Amino acid sequence: MLADVVEHLVSGIVEHPEDVSVVERGTRRGPLVQVRVHPDDIGRVIGRAGRTATALRTVVNALSDSGPVRVDIVDLDGR
């Protein structure tokens, strides 16, 4: 469910929505949502001074039933 919400939100922000990929998985440290976007869109998703990424993390944590969720944002090159 969280992956669908994140994908919808991020797709509305970026210029290449077809390249948005969201994977949700559990780790030892808790749930992780990994967002991959086109390299040209990484700045749009992070935002000025990280404000967009912080807002995205706030929304995901508010929707989470199992406590805090890590949200990692990476470009398609994996950097």
Side-chain angles (χ1 to χ4, degrees), residues 14-77:
V14 299
E15 289 186 18
H16 305 287
E18 66 278 356
D19 290 338
V20 173
S21 168
V22 179
V23 177
E24 184 178 3
R25 60 181 139 162
T27 64
R28 279 187 255 155
R29 294 172 53 189
L32 167 70
V33 176
Q34 187 175 46
V35 181
R36 291 186 178 270
V37 296
H38 192 276
D40 294 341
D41 292 328
I42 194 80
R44 286 179 168 274
V45 176
I46 293 173
R48 187 173 289 170
R51 289 184 188 150
T52 306
T54 302
L56 186 64
R57 289 182 176 108
T58 301
V59 169
V60 169
N61 283 318
L63 293 174
S64 172
D65 294 334
S66 61
V69 176
R70 275 185 35 217
V71 178
D72 290 341
I73 302 167
V74 221
D75 64 6
L76 287 175
D77 294 338

Side-chain angles (χ1 to χ4, degrees), residues 3-7 17-18 29-31 36 40 55 79:
D4 296 334
V5 171
V6 172
E7 185 172 2
E18 66 278 356
R29 294 172 53 189
R36 291 186 178 270
D40 294 341
R79 288 185 253 158

